[in-house]
Amino acid sequence: MAKALSPLQRAQTRLAYILIAPATALIVLIYIIPIILVFLASLTDYTLVSDYFEFVGLANYQKMIGDAVFANALSNTFIYAAMFLPASFLISLVLAIAIQDRKQFRSLLEVLFFLPVTATLSAMALVWGALLDSRQGVINSIIQSLGFAPVNFLGSENIVLFSLTLISAWSVIGFNMVLFLAGLTAIPKNLYEAAAIDGADHPLDKFFRVTWPMLGPTAMFVAVTSSITAFKLFDTVAILTHGGPGRASEVFLYLAFLEGFEYFNMGYSAALSLVFLLIVFAFALAQTLFVDRKVQY
Amino acid sequence: MAHLSLKQIEKSFGDTDVLKGVSLDIEDGEFISLVGQSGCGKSTLLRIIAGLETQDAGDILIDGKPVNDTAPKHRNIAMVFQDYALYPHMTVAENIAMPLIMTRLPMHARLPLIRHLAPSHRRQKPEIDAHVASVAKQLHIDHLLTRRPAQLSGGQRQRVALGRALVRNPQIFLMDEPLSNLDAKLRVKVRREITELHASSGLTFVYVTHDQVEAMTMSDRVAMMQNGRLLQVGTPNALYADPATMDVARFIGSPEINMLDATIRDGALLFGDNRLPIDLHNTGKVHVGIRPEMLMIRNMPDLAYAEAHVNGITTRFETATVEDLGPEVLIHGRLTSQPDTDIRIRAQKSASYGTGARLAHNRHLDVIIDPSRLFLFDEGGKRLHPALEHAAIPMQLETAGAA
């Protein structure tokens, strides 16, 4: 049974709606309506070069299933993610633990490792392009001076995804490290003292008995945000490899970009974008479900 | 069980000298409290005994063996932290089992995943579980074994912390203000449980607290600290009845001791318009301490009064407020002759309390000051021991016996 609202309650309810109205309007305008428009576009054969289009139902999604180019982009993305995730996660965790106990230089090291995060990735991609160049690159000069054969970092089908992983990891490690540092700082010191008295004073014991379990929520957050970052790979591909050599570095978002703005298949591109959105949404959902539940120690 | 010996322990953090040469011998099976205001160094001393901090100078000996460079886990001590420091991600059973897992299993049997392959893990697990269960039963927390610390009340967490300390069969039990996070009623209960635990285990207990009531009620001996030094070490009664300094007299005892400014001149103690002959060579200013229950009120039917046992001088007292404590009253006011100093008197109610001349209606009372029950301190706060002329013999014997 609904209770009758007093005038005061009614006035407060009205005020509440008025107060959230601007934010709601912005969210609808910036997120909801574009998503709906993209969904509608994905049901058409709309191209950028023709004003005429008609609804084709789910044909764009069906096309995806049989499309070798799509399968290639998806597999490239997963291979890249499989390298990027452990690298960005483990290296930043090790760095955070190593830096945490330092009394001297801690803030200096934090700043140094965080610097790449503040740099513009597209500009840094060009720098990396120069460093990794197969003929004049500094890195290849070093490799050659050590007596090894030069490596074609960005021009070899087998290595290009690895090179892209290297650049992305470099750009994101500082960020993850700061997240881990925050997580580590939040662990009460007396847990380590209790552990020392209980006999867990070996670094491995300290890590597995105290640090790692206490770091759980942070670790989950880092894993999820890194996964989303992995699927968002675009800048370095667009600037350095254009999906090449062959289609060896054509990843999901880059394919969506190609279909839309190079081949003008807006309908198909819209469908790809929606699938991308679903994948990211799945990760975000996982984070909300697992992380938020685990935080309450 | 172990004998613990501290020799000239010094410790500083940066420019701050926290411990300035503390020496203390703690007997096998003794319950000793380190008491003092916050910042006096008592917790640091405990952490040095535990091995969580390293002293800058001095030695720690357990059963005569120096343990200065011994890791905490090898000192055979157990510690209960102020906020318990339970592992929040482990169940109660896992928390209690932690010291056993660490001591009984080799490294490879402790690592995640790999441990399931280790035979020692499988062999030891039932034993460890049984040990944990028996300790839990002893502390009445066996129904909580599968819960996590966040799901427990303060008192239950306290027991888990005790369990984790007990399970390892330590020689020395260290406690850092273990009752400070409990409510008043629970504190009294757990206080008794800890005392009983001490009695039944026969272990050496070192107990840090800022609460003199805990120190007095639980300990065999109390070590009072201030500014990184030990002021006095002795039985609770010795600290109460025979304080070595003014700070000890002030800290021990509740309500706080009354302190009056006085002067010694021509072989007499002068305070207000009172004059007590005194056998002391000092002259000049002194502080006089009188415990609130040592002041007797004359001719007040509301209060129990044993005039026959009291010698002394009578002086006028003005009542400000009266607090009813149940069996006793606490009277706040001041001596007419010394209106600047607040005085507290604690007195037993008589059987006819509230029927006769009302205490609350009498603003002026006659108070007897028994010279044998005064503590005299010099201006630096050091105790002076005079032989007061009016001293009643039995009292004198009592204080002398405690000294």
Side-chain angles (χ1 to χ4, degrees):
Chain A
M1 233 168 70
K3 272 189 205 152
L5 293 177
S6 70
L8 176 65
Q9 279 174 317
R10 229 175 297 138
Q12 281 185 332
T13 314
R14 208 178 315 127
L15 180 64
Y17 280 117
I18 292 171
L19 288 177
I20 61 166
T24 315
L26 277 178
I27 288 174
V28 169
L29 216 61
I30 295 172
Y31 292 107
I32 311 290
I33 292 180
I35 289 176
I36 294 173
L37 288 180
V38 168
F39 176 68
L40 291 177
S42 77
L43 302 177
T44 69
D45 63 354
Y46 174 62
T47 67
L48 274 183
V49 288
S50 158
D51 285 342
Y52 175 79
F53 67 89
E54 57 184 49
F55 278 91
V56 294
L58 295 173
N60 281 325
Y61 294 94
Q62 275 166 347
K63 183 183 164 194
M64 238 180 266
I65 295 166
D67 189 356
V69 175
F70 172 74
N72 172 61
L74 202 59
S75 111
N76 281 344
T77 308
F78 275 107
I79 292 172
Y80 164 80
M83 290 189 287
F84 171 77
L85 269 183
S88 63
F89 188 94
L90 290 179
I91 298 175
S92 41
L93 177 59
V94 169
L95 277 180
I97 291 174
I99 288 180
Q100 199 221 172
D101 285 336
R102 294 192 72 92
K103 287 199 181 70
Q104 288 176 309
F105 304 127
R106 176 177 158 164
S107 42
L108 183 69
L109 289 167
E110 274 176 45
V111 170
L112 280 180
F113 283 109
F114 196 73
L115 268 183
V117 182
T118 62
T120 312
L121 186 55
S122 12
M124 287 300 116
L126 292 174
V127 175
W128 274 102
L131 288 175
L132 292 171
D133 191 273
S134 59
R135 264 158 282 165
Q136 289 131 8
V138 176
I139 296 176
N140 262 321
S141 321
I142 295 172
I143 291 176
Q144 277 174 297
S145 72
L146 293 173
F148 296 101
V151 181
N152 194 352
F153 284 105
L154 298 170
S156 154
E157 291 192 7
N158 296 326
I159 300 176
V160 66
L161 279 178
F162 171 78
S163 310
L164 290 173
T165 305
L166 185 75
I167 301 172
S168 314
W170 168 83
S171 72
V172 82
I173 276 173
F175 184 68
N176 287 351
M177 183 195 78
V178 168
L179 289 177
F180 277 128
L181 273 176
L184 288 172
T185 316
I187 301 176
K189 263 218 153 58
N190 63 8
L191 283 187
Y192 291 104
E193 293 177 348
I197 289 177
D198 287 345
D201 54 357
H202 189 280
L204 277 179
D205 283 319
K206 273 202 276 192
F207 180 79
F208 283 116
R209 300 276 159 188
V210 181
T211 311
W212 180 244
M214 295 299 291
L215 217 47
T218 314
M220 187 70 190
F221 180 78
V222 170
V224 169
T225 51
S226 298
S227 311
I228 294 174
T229 313
F231 274 83
K232 274 167 47 184
L233 175 65
F234 179 78
D235 324 31
T236 43
V237 176
I239 290 164
L240 291 177
T241 68
H242 306 290
R247 291 184 179 278
S249 66
E250 213 170 84
V251 290
F252 201 100
L253 263 197
Y254 192 70
L255 178 67
F257 161 78
L258 280 185
E259 287 290 345
F261 297 97
E262 299 277 326
Y263 313 147
F264 304 134
N265 292 327
M266 267 304 168
Y268 189 44
S269 178
L272 287 172
S273 303
L274 267 184
V275 171
F276 172 75
L277 189 69
L278 277 179
I279 295 174
V280 171
F281 180 73
F283 281 116
L285 193 69
Q287 186 202 331
T288 336
L289 288 183
F290 291 108
V291 178
D292 292 351
R293 196 176 307 159
K294 273 193 92 175
V295 176
Q296 359 164 306
Y297 279 152
Chain B
M1 286 195 280
H3 174 268
L4 178 65
S5 184
L6 309 175
K7 295 199 190 302
Q8 287 300 321
I9 303 290
E10 287 174 29
K11 176 77 182 172
S12 20
F13 294 113
D15 294 336
T16 319
D17 294 333
V18 181
L19 295 173
K20 302 164 185 165
V22 173
S23 296
L24 184 60
D25 271 297
I26 300 167
E27 296 303 322
D28 193 355
E30 188 176 26
F31 192 130
I32 193 158
S33 289
L34 304 176
V35 70
Q37 262 132 12
S38 50
C40 70
K42 57 193 191 298
S43 282
T44 307
L45 187 61
L46 193 77
R47 292 165 57 80
I48 288 175
I49 298 173
L52 297 173
E53 307 271 0
T54 313
Q55 67 273 28
D56 298 335
D59 292 311
I60 300 173
L61 296 96
I62 295 178
D63 280 338
K65 271 174 270 168
V67 293
N68 299 334
D69 303 317
T70 311
K73 60 174 176 179
H74 292 132
R75 294 190 182 193
N76 212 352
I77 44 125
M79 182 152 168
V80 176
F81 291 81
Q82 180 169 7
D83 53 1
Y84 317 137
L86 299 176
Y87 309 110
H89 52 281
M90 297 184 190
T91 63
V92 168
E94 286 165 340
N95 263 289
I96 299 177
M98 178 85 158
L100 297 179
I101 289 171
M102 286 301 141
T103 47
R104 293 195 187 173
L105 297 180
M107 173 58 86
H108 69 271
R110 301 200 297 258
L111 293 175
L113 303 176
I114 302 171
R115 66 161 177 255
H116 298 290
L117 303 172
S120 46
H121 179 260
R122 231 169 310 142
R123 207 170 43 238
Q124 288 283 349
K125 186 117 195 349
E127 273 184 46
I128 290 177
D129 287 348
H131 200 147
V132 169
S134 79
V135 167
K137 201 168 165 132
Q138 187 189 341
L139 292 166
H140 309 291
I141 47 172
D142 38 346
H143 58 295
L144 303 172
L145 284 175
T146 54
R147 298 220 199 145
R148 281 174 207 279
Q151 299 165 290
L152 304 178
S153 69
Q156 290 167 332
R157 280 182 217 180
Q158 164 79 53
R159 280 160 202 266
V160 177
L162 281 176
R164 186 175 63 180
L166 271 179
V167 78
R168 47 186 294 142
N169 285 330
Q171 295 180 307
I172 300 173
F173 221 101
L174 307 178
M175 298 194 185
D176 190 3
E177 310 232 3
L179 306 185
S180 57
N181 288 342
L182 302 177
D183 63 61
K185 211 165 187 180
L186 199 54
R187 205 175 298 167
V188 175
K189 186 167 169 239
V190 177
R191 203 163 78 192
R192 226 194 79 210
E193 285 174 357
I194 292 178
T195 320
E196 280 170 8
L197 180 67
H198 172 248
S200 64
S201 66
L203 299 175
T204 309
F205 274 46
V206 184
Y207 186 100
V208 162
T209 179
H210 65 273
D211 181 354
Q212 57 95 19
V213 177
E214 278 175 29
M216 296 287 281
T217 49
M218 300 170 78
S219 328
D220 297 324
R221 276 196 307 161
V222 178
M224 168 136 184
M225 293 181 68
Q226 193 179 55
N227 295 329
R229 290 203 172 84
L230 283 175
L231 288 185
Q232 190 174 359
V233 184
T235 62
N237 185 58
L239 265 69
Y240 188 80
D242 190 19
T245 71
M246 194 162 76
D247 291 315
V248 175
R250 280 209 153 127
F251 192 83
I252 304 289
S254 171
E256 203 185 304
I257 192 168
N258 299 303
M259 297 301 296
L260 292 166
D261 289 331
T263 319
I264 297 181
R265 204 188 309 138
D266 305 330
L269 181 68
L270 309 168
F271 58 103
D273 49 8
N274 305 294
R275 188 174 188 285
L276 276 176
I278 193 172
D279 183 15
L280 201 65
H281 299 299
N282 306 48
T283 51
K285 289 189 171 174
V286 290
H287 302 284
V288 179
I290 317 162
R291 298 241 176 247
E293 67 275 16
M294 298 299 180
L295 289 166
M296 298 291 168
I297 295 171
R298 196 193 288 275
N299 298 330
M300 174 57 61
D302 267 0
L303 302 174
Y305 177 60
E307 194 165 4
H309 301 296
V310 179
N311 301 309
I313 55 162
T314 304
T315 186
R316 294 285 279 174
F317 178 86
E318 280 173 51
T319 308
T321 54
V322 178
E323 290 175 21
D324 196 323
L325 304 178
E328 298 169 337
V329 287
L330 185 59
I331 307 166
H332 295 267
R334 35 201 87 73
L335 297 182
T336 314
S337 59
Q338 275 193 322
D340 298 334
T341 313
D342 285 329
I343 297 288
R344 296 160 292 278
I345 304 175
R346 197 165 87 179
Q348 286 271 328
K349 287 181 186 173
S350 68
S352 59
Y353 182 78
T355 56
R358 290 292 188 90
L359 181 62
H361 295 165
N362 273 283
R363 289 198 28 88
H364 295 280
L365 302 170
D366 287 327
V367 171
I368 308 167
I369 298 176
D370 179 347
S372 71
R373 299 194 173 192
L374 300 180
F375 302 134
L376 293 183
F377 304 97
D378 66 16
E379 280 201 283
K382 256 189 73 125
R383 177 86 180 272
L384 303 169
H385 288 277
L388 290 165
E389 263 180 25
H390 286 284
I393 305 298
M395 294 302 153
Q396 194 67 351
L397 279 179
E398 191 179 290
T399 38

